[in-house]
Amino acid sequence: MNRIKALAALPCGRRSKWVVLALWVVLLVAAAPLASKLTDAQNNEVSSWLPAEAESTKVINEQKDFRPDTTVPAVVVYERSSGLTQADKDAIVADRTMFGTAKGVTGKVEDTTFDKDQKAAQILVPISVKDGGWNDLGDAVDQLKEALKDNPTGLKSYVTGPAGLGADQAESFEGIDGTLLYATLGVVVLILLFTYRSPVLWLLPVISAVGALFSAQAVVYLFTKAGLVVNGQSAAILTVLIFGAGTDYALLLIARYREELHRYEDRHEAMAAAMFRAGPAIVASAATVGVGMLCLMAAEMQSTKGLGPVCALGVLVGLIAMTTLLPALLVIVGRWVFWPVRPQFEPDAITHDEKGVWARVGRKISGGPRVVWIITAVILGVMTIGLTNLNGDGIANKDSFTNKPQSIHGQEVSERYFPAGSGDPIVVIGKESAAAALIQAIQGTPGIAPGQVHQTGAVGGRVQIEATMIASPDSKAANGTVERVRDSVHGVPDAAAKVGGGTATRMDITSASEHDDKVIIPLILLVVLIVLGLLLRAVVAPLVLIATVVLSFAAALGISVFTFEHLLGFKGTDVGFPLFVFVFLVALGIDYNVFLMSRVHEESKRHGTRRGMQIGLAATGGVITSAGLVLASTFAVLGTLPIVAFAEMGFTVALGVLLDTFIVRSVLVTALTLDIGQKIWWPSKLARHPDEDDPEPGGDDARESVLVG
């Protein structure tokens, strides 16, 4: 125990605080240039996002043998509803020639295809994609668009297909790091100002969070040198996670420090006591999030697997910053930082408000806890009804943006005049000796456009064949076509054929995501249960807390699905949506239960469980509410991106955090604990600790509770 106290006091000693500050200054000077390199170290290649063992991923990897660079087709579509003029056709011929010289265009630009009524034309332009992934598409697509500006008046033109879509997605993410950083910083500052009502105090957690972010980005960058894969998704979530979780830890520590400043005249002793009392809950919270994130490494999806260690590293660095740099800064600046409401040395003061909102909530619930938790659980259960309409099969291209970029307009025009699968063909790679049999098998498969099966390359005894589908590549009909093609070519003797392409890739992503849901969700629940059991030294309490968070997750998902479908007009959700929401809501949402129940556990040793529950709620209610608002706001920032998948995830996580903060933690957990009583700590000795009668508000028992807290 003495060693733990000494360790807790280390960052805030009279001399050691300056050492801690100096070490952080040196660290940040070294970290800043490394952090700036993280964006360039991102790997946004298609294969870095996909399930490694999927058939479509193997096709993408084998395609490199047929062409040095991975290529993504752009489809340039022209339309004049009254019919193409000769001037239009001349311009189209000139454009095709110009496309061949555009930056990033590789190989042969396909011949122009006209529809049967001569009202539209399209050209397939292969664009090279290197290590930058979809970021490499932007410059090439911009050049294609530039070439279209001088076309005859009235001739409409669009750049669509996989390359056009990818370029629009890349543009949506352009500047995402800065946008998320400043937007997240803005909401954190506003909430901290509201929470502390101090023009100065908010600076210290923000400085600590920014230091944590730069340090985490530097650490993650160094890990990329050791093989860690980071993409745009994981880098964006890292920023949100550090600000959200890091600020939560800061709020809890500052709240406990302010309490201890009433008990201790010396601020160094007050901070040491705060670290000793609040430290276990903060560490347990970070461990829950960090280990929960590491569970993502069991995923088949490469993007999900890579997200795990990135976020775990971020949480670890955030924890270190908030338990070293922040305490040092707080004791260096002294009590004045709380101005205009400076905590005074008053050892007999009651530091939690017995007349405040959360104290009143606790007393109200104690009058009939069983009725309260049953009604609350039923209401949350009703909220889950929206899950019956959850469409987790993915979002069609045309529905994937909150706005409507050029690539989507172009796709709609192309589908009016040409086979919907144009520009995103099925790709089959097999033995060259079986090429004729493969072509025959593919062409005879229902769903393949007549005469649209071609051999596009042969190398090293392997052949590449491409086939155009009749259906749109992101439709269920296209999925059926790919399944039939796979059955057909797998049945060709001695062909060793594999089927890939955009549709096959989406199908394999869906299959991998379903696997990940079944494996990772139970794994995270088990990890969280173990961490809570170790923290609370009980079995019943962790099971109760897990059940409440899962119910909260289901309710948030149900409300969100209803909102997406009926209010926002979104069509479906991303295949990874349920898993990501679960990870963030359970791993992060359990924080508030950890903060609350660790304090209740502490108070229950002195006053029994029921009184300890009321004191714990009154003492932590304000800080947990502020923490929930911070975390919800930081995730809501994701909704500023024009990508439906990110908007949906940000909305749902923010909603779930608010449910955890205001309903699950304050009402449901409180009512369950008051109803179960000391048995909630079974099988520990505390389960046999008798409950005391509730004292009068502001009485001696209430005063004593603060002195031990």
Side-chain angles (χ1 to χ4, degrees), residues 449-577:
Q452 296 295 314
V453 181
H454 306 285
Q455 179 177 323
T456 56
V459 93
R462 305 283 285 170
V463 65
Q464 177 176 280
I465 301 167
E466 294 184 359
T468 300
M469 294 181 289
I470 297 173
S472 177
D474 55 1
S475 65
K476 290 184 178 180
N479 292 347
T481 300
V482 169
E483 289 175 353
R484 289 190 293 273
V485 168
R486 280 181 167 171
D487 289 339
S488 297
V489 301
H490 291 167
V492 175
D494 199 30
K498 301 181 184 69
V499 178
T503 303
T505 297
R506 283 184 285 272
M507 290 172 58
D508 290 340
I509 287 174
T510 299
S511 176
S513 296
E514 290 173 353
H515 163 273
D516 294 347
D517 289 348
K518 294 175 183 177
V519 171
I520 294 174
I521 289 177
L523 187 58
I524 290 177
L525 288 175
L526 178 61
V527 166
V528 172
L529 185 66
I530 292 172
V531 173
L532 288 174
L534 293 174
L535 174 69
L536 301 176
R537 303 176 190 87
V539 172
V540 175
L543 289 172
V544 169
L545 296 180
I546 285 288
T548 62
V549 173
V550 171
L551 179 59
S552 174
F553 158 73
L557 214 58
I559 297 174
S560 297
V561 169
F562 178 85
T563 302
F564 299 156
E565 181 178 357
H566 298 287
L567 300 181
L568 300 179
F570 294 159
K571 307 294 184 183
T573 60
D574 185 75
V575 292
F577 170 74

Side-chain angles (χ1 to χ4, degrees), residues 407-419:
S407 59
I408 302 303
H409 281 291
Q411 178 178 321
E412 292 173 348
V413 171
S414 176
E415 290 178 359
R416 282 202 297 268
Y417 298 100
F418 303 98

Side-chain angles (χ1 to χ4, degrees), residues 201-371:
L201 181 57
W202 64 271
L203 275 168
L204 301 187
V206 167
I207 289 171
S208 302
V210 171
L213 177 61
F214 287 159
S215 301
Q217 288 175 333
V219 170
V220 171
Y221 169 74
L222 292 175
F223 269 83
T224 63
K225 297 299 182 183
L228 177 64
V229 176
V230 180
N231 55 38
Q233 172 183 268
S234 53
I237 291 176
L238 176 67
T239 299
V240 173
L241 184 63
I242 287 181
F243 269 93
T247 307
D248 277 4
Y249 306 151
L251 285 165
L252 183 66
L253 179 62
I254 292 172
R256 196 59 185 256
Y257 174 52
R258 185 160 51 181
E259 281 190 41
E260 300 298 341
L261 284 171
H262 291 283
R263 297 183 57 215
Y264 294 91
E265 189 171 9
D266 186 284
R267 65 183 186 275
H268 302 87
E269 294 180 10
M271 179 56 78
M275 289 284 289
F276 177 70
R277 294 295 186 186
I282 294 174
V283 171
S285 172
T288 302
V289 179
V291 178
M293 293 299 172
L294 288 177
C295 291
L296 296 178
M297 296 179 69
E300 286 187 354
M301 285 291 297
Q302 296 284 84
S303 55
T304 304
K305 182 179 292 188
L307 179 64
V310 170
C311 289
L313 287 169
V315 169
L316 176 61
V317 174
L319 171 66
I320 293 171
M322 295 306 170
T323 54
T324 56
L325 177 59
L326 179 60
L329 290 173
L330 284 167
V331 294
I332 286 172
V333 298
R335 292 174 186 260
W336 70 266
V337 77
F338 288 94
W339 182 86
V341 187
R342 293 173 58 183
Q344 301 299 321
F345 174 55
E346 301 172 293
D348 293 330
I350 297 176
T351 55
H352 69 267
D353 190 354
E354 281 288 340
K355 296 181 180 179
V357 173
W358 298 113
R360 294 199 302 271
V361 168
R363 287 195 294 273
K364 287 283 188 183
I365 295 174
S366 65
R370 185 165 301 175
V371 173

Side-chain angles (χ1 to χ4, degrees), residues 381-396:
V382 170
M383 292 178 180
T384 67
I385 292 175
L387 285 173
T388 57
N389 292 326
L390 176 63
N391 176 11
D393 294 334
I395 305 172

Side-chain angles (χ1 to χ4, degrees), residues 26-41:
V26 172
L27 175 63
L28 290 175
V29 169
L34 296 176
S36 64
K37 296 179 180 179
L38 182 59
T39 300
D40 294 333

Side-chain angles (χ1 to χ4, degrees), residues 614-636:
Q614 293 186 14
I615 294 171
L617 181 61
T620 64
V623 64
I624 291 177
T625 300
S626 299
L629 289 173
V630 168
L631 190 60
S633 299
T634 53
F635 270 90

Side-chain angles (χ1 to χ4, degrees), residues 364-379 666-668 670-672:
K364 287 283 188 183
I365 295 174
S366 65
R370 185 165 301 175
V371 173
V372 171
W373 75 254
I374 290 175
I375 291 175
T376 305
V378 169
I379 292 172
S666 61
V667 178
L668 184 58
T670 299
L672 282 166

